[in-house]
Amino acid sequence: MDRRDLLKMIAAATGMAMVGGDLWAADQKSADAGKALFTQTDIAFLDEIAETILPKTDTPGAKDAGCGAAMAVMVADCYDLPQQTIFFEGLKSIKALAKKQFGKDFMQLTAAQKHELLSKLDQEAKQASGPAPHYFILVKQLTLMVFFTSKVGATEVLRYVAVPGRYDGNMPYKKGDRAWAT
């Protein structure tokens, strides 16, 4: 699966075109880009959100892939100023909702409370309409894209063959097999 196909799949799964998808497809990012916009605390917060969306089970989770740091780079490099504003306001909203709903900081919530909070946001985002995307769509798309294009996501969660072989259109598939990565 190439990067463009992944972006199309994520867009279909979240019901919205990938924000910054053209730049992501080109894979233009610098190693220090996210440092100017995000603190280490912000990156840890992004890791917690991503881990709630893609938790560790019998396969690695978002924290194992270092999603928070990669998300910071993507926002810095691929989002324009209005999209960055929506993203940062969304992070503030998630923190405020955690305080309002549970009386604690998001980082102090249990895994079940984090899941409950983000599930409600996911439902809200799916029902939202307007010219600008709901902030949770940005967060969720970014989490999925970063995770499944990471080394951990592509090699330990998806099936991966480093050296391409011959085309086999009749490759056996058993229910429950992992998807392929390229």
Side-chain angles (χ1 to χ4, degrees), residues 9-32:
M9 286 177 35
I10 292 170
T14 58
M16 172 171 235
M18 281 295 293
V19 176
D22 292 338
L23 290 173
W24 292 344
D27 196 26
Q28 298 176 3
K29 53 187 179 283
S30 62
D32 296 328

Side-chain angles (χ1 to χ4, degrees), residues 19 25 34 46 53 59 117 121 127 140-141 150 168 173 177:
V19 176
L46 289 173
I53 294 170
T59 59
L117 180 76
L121 283 175
Q127 296 171 356
K140 187 175 178 181
Q141 283 183 342
S150 71
D168 184 356
Y173 174 79
D177 277 353

Side-chain angles (χ1 to χ4, degrees), residues 60-163:
K63 279 185 185 178
D64 297 317
C67 282
M71 290 168 74
V73 171
M74 291 297 201
V75 170
D77 277 4
C78 301
Y79 284 10
D80 59 19
L81 185 58
Q83 293 163 343
Q84 289 174 348
T85 302
I86 292 169
F87 191 85
F88 280 106
E89 290 302 318
L91 296 182
K92 287 180 191 175
S93 292
I94 292 171
K95 290 176 182 179
L97 285 170
K99 287 270 190 206
K100 181 180 176 184
Q101 190 170 343
F102 299 104
K104 297 189 233 177
D105 185 63
F106 184 86
M107 301 293 278
Q108 307 306 315
L109 300 179
T110 65
Q113 290 171 324
K114 290 175 187 173
H115 182 266
E116 179 183 335
L117 180 76
L118 295 186
S119 293
K120 285 181 184 177
L121 283 175
D122 192 31
Q123 291 304 314
E124 179 184 309
K126 288 177 183 174
Q127 296 171 356
S129 62
H134 188 280
Y135 66 86
F136 191 73
I137 294 287
L138 299 178
V139 173
K140 187 175 178 181
Q141 283 183 342
L142 192 55
T143 299
L144 295 171
M145 200 286 287
V146 166
F147 180 76
F148 286 110
T149 57
S150 71
K151 181 178 180 181
V152 169
T155 61
E156 296 180 41
V157 176
L158 299 172
R159 293 185 286 174
Y160 178 75
V161 177
V163 179

